[in-house]
Amino acid sequence: MGQHAFFVTVLALSVPGALAGANMTTGAALSRIGPAVGLALWYAYWIALRGGADRPPLPYLVGALSGWAVMATVDPAFLPVAMAVLSPYWLRRAWWSAGGVLVLGAAWSWQSLTTDGSVDVRALTGCVLGTAVAVTITCYVATLDHESHKRQRLLDELTATQAERAAAERQAGTLAERQRLAREVHDTLTQGFASIAMLLDAARDDLPLDSPAARRVEHAMRTARDNLAESRRLVHALRPAPLDRTHLAEAVRELTALLAEETGTEAYTVVTGRPAALPPSTEGELLRVVQEALTNARRHARAMSVSVTLSYLGDVLAIDIQDDGTGFAPVARHTGVGLITMRERIAALHGTFAVESSPGEGTTVAVTVPLPVEPSASDPSAVSGTERMAPAS
């Protein structure tokens, strides 16, 4: 707004000076007012309306200087209008503005020489001093603007750094709370179920094998063991410790190894392509999706074999969790909370999520998420190919 006001002020003060002649006719007045109005409209279109104050377009400069040259030829009183014409360049093109000021001073001196036949020393001195002051002011304003933009960039970088730090602190706090809950569950529920299972096992040995009491104790012991396994899975879900030590591929291998050890199911992990490190939060979300899919296969599928395939395809990571269990009809079955949660996690990562299943044909959970444009250093612990975890004995 200050730049626009400066342009209007200089142009408005130059017009009365050009109209101050004693024998000014209507035609002469129009020859001075018309170009001034045209220049004002030209400035309004290119600078005020099209927003070219930061980076003035070349058509504005060509047209404005041409208009100024015509005005200065008609009446030398319009020479200072060059200052207004160059005002959009003061902040972004300091050297252009300084050169324009020097040209303006030279043009004034040349006009005085051709009009009067000589140049007064005092007038020439004043012109030189005025030009020097104008150049100094122009360069100073440009320097202030440059420093202001530099300071703004530093502030933006500081704000972004603070936001990243706050996000990291929130994530660290969330992980710490999850680990605390995992410790509490492990030290209370898990240990309690383990003690109950041991006591029931000892009580069963003191009862006749086929008595009703022995059968009830056996049923209670199976329930205690199932809840013990469930509490352990809850601890692993709350505290994805593998990611504290390694990357996603190795963490998934540990999950399938745990499934094979606890259930005797053939569970293995396949990694193809060149593994790329993802942000920790992304790897954590993907690990929980794999955990949920394996939990579903363990609870409902009664599968003999479960495989997890991680395919690094350049710009996409594809994860397939497949089992040969009972399967189900997705269109006829009510969608559980687990599937909804997995779908929401993948949607938050801008990926795709799909479930393919049919009764008696097993189930496949297919996930794809984008990888960084320039993949990070590959995980040295993850080797391309197929790795199978043998079922526990």
Side-chain angles (χ1 to χ4, degrees):
M1 295 301 295
Q3 174 186 303
H4 300 335
F6 176 78
F7 179 90
V8 172
T9 300
V10 172
L11 189 61
L13 292 178
S14 299
V15 171
L19 298 175
N23 299 322
M24 184 65 60
T25 62
T26 302
L30 291 178
S31 67
R32 287 158 174 76
I33 297 176
V37 173
L39 181 61
L41 294 176
W42 188 259
Y43 176 92
Y45 174 75
W46 285 104
I47 305 301
L49 297 182
R50 298 192 55 169
D54 289 338
R55 295 183 179 275
L58 183 61
Y60 161 76
L61 180 63
V62 174
L65 288 180
S66 300
W68 167 75
V70 172
M71 294 167 63
T73 302
V74 172
D75 196 312
F78 285 119
L79 282 174
V81 174
M83 298 292 293
V85 169
L86 293 173
S87 61
Y89 294 88
W90 282 16
L91 299 181
R92 298 293 183 268
R93 300 290 187 270
W95 292 110
W96 289 20
S97 301
V101 171
L102 292 174
V103 171
L104 177 61
W108 182 87
S109 301
W110 177 82
Q111 189 271 338
S112 297
L113 179 62
T114 56
T115 302
D116 301 333
S118 62
V119 179
D120 185 71
V121 176
R122 290 178 297 176
L124 181 60
T125 303
C127 177
V128 172
L129 291 177
T131 301
V133 170
V135 170
T136 302
I137 294 175
T138 299
C139 294
Y140 178 70
V141 171
T143 301
L144 289 180
D145 181 75
H146 176 74
E147 293 298 326
S148 175
H149 281 76
K150 182 179 178 180
R151 189 179 298 109
Q152 185 61 46
R153 286 194 298 270
L154 292 176
L155 290 175
D156 292 341
E157 292 176 0
L158 178 61
T159 301
T161 302
Q162 290 176 341
E164 293 176 358
R165 180 179 179 182
E169 290 177 350
R170 286 195 298 269
Q171 182 180 1
T174 300
L175 292 177
E177 182 62 18
R178 295 175 70 93
Q179 291 177 355
R180 187 190 68 81
L181 290 175
R183 288 193 298 268
E184 292 293 334
V185 172
H186 179 270
D187 295 340
T188 55
L189 296 178
T190 302
Q191 298 297 336
F193 286 129
S195 299
I196 292 173
M198 293 176 60
L199 293 173
L200 290 174
D201 188 46
R204 183 187 58 180
D205 294 339
D206 296 335
L207 297 173
L209 293 178
D210 297 328
S211 64
R215 288 193 296 271
R216 287 193 289 271
V217 169
E218 179 69 23
H219 179 71
M221 187 170 61
R222 285 199 304 268
T223 303
R225 287 176 175 172
D226 289 343
N227 283 273
L228 174 61
E230 187 66 25
S231 67
R232 286 174 175 170
R233 285 195 294 271
L234 178 61
V235 168
H236 284 287
L238 285 173
R239 188 170 180 264
L243 289 180
D244 294 338
R245 305 187 304 271
T246 183
H247 292 292
L248 179 64
E250 188 62 32
V252 172
R253 287 194 181 100
E254 293 186 15
L255 289 179
T256 53
L258 181 63
L259 178 63
E261 178 183 353
E262 292 183 350
T263 65
T265 303
E266 182 186 16
Y268 57 91
T269 298
V270 179
V271 180
T272 63
R274 182 180 181 182
L278 290 165
S281 59
T282 301
E283 291 194 344
E285 293 295 305
L286 292 175
L287 182 62
R288 290 187 177 91
V289 169
V290 174
Q291 284 177 330
E292 182 65 28
L294 293 177
T295 299
N296 289 340
R298 179 175 188 168
R299 288 179 179 175
H300 310 299
R302 297 194 293 273
M304 298 298 295
S305 176
V306 180
S307 65
V308 181
T309 304
L310 285 77
S311 302
Y312 292 86
L313 306 175
D315 59 346
V316 172
L317 168 61
I319 303 177
D320 296 314
I321 304 98
Q322 186 174 17
D323 66 69
D324 60 356
T326 57
F328 63 95
V331 295
R333 179 173 175 174
H334 176 69
T335 303
V337 176
L339 290 178
I340 295 176
T341 301
M342 287 191 288
R343 192 181 302 275
E344 291 175 348
R345 289 183 188 274
I346 298 304
L349 300 177
H350 307 288
T352 62
F353 177 86
V355 178
E356 299 177 2
S357 183
S358 60
E361 298 295 333
T363 302
T364 300
V365 177
V367 171
T368 62
V369 293
L371 288 173
V373 177
E374 295 182 0
S376 304
S378 60
D379 178 10
S381 64
V383 181
S384 300
T386 302
E387 178 176 332
R388 293 176 177 266
M389 307 303 297
S393 57

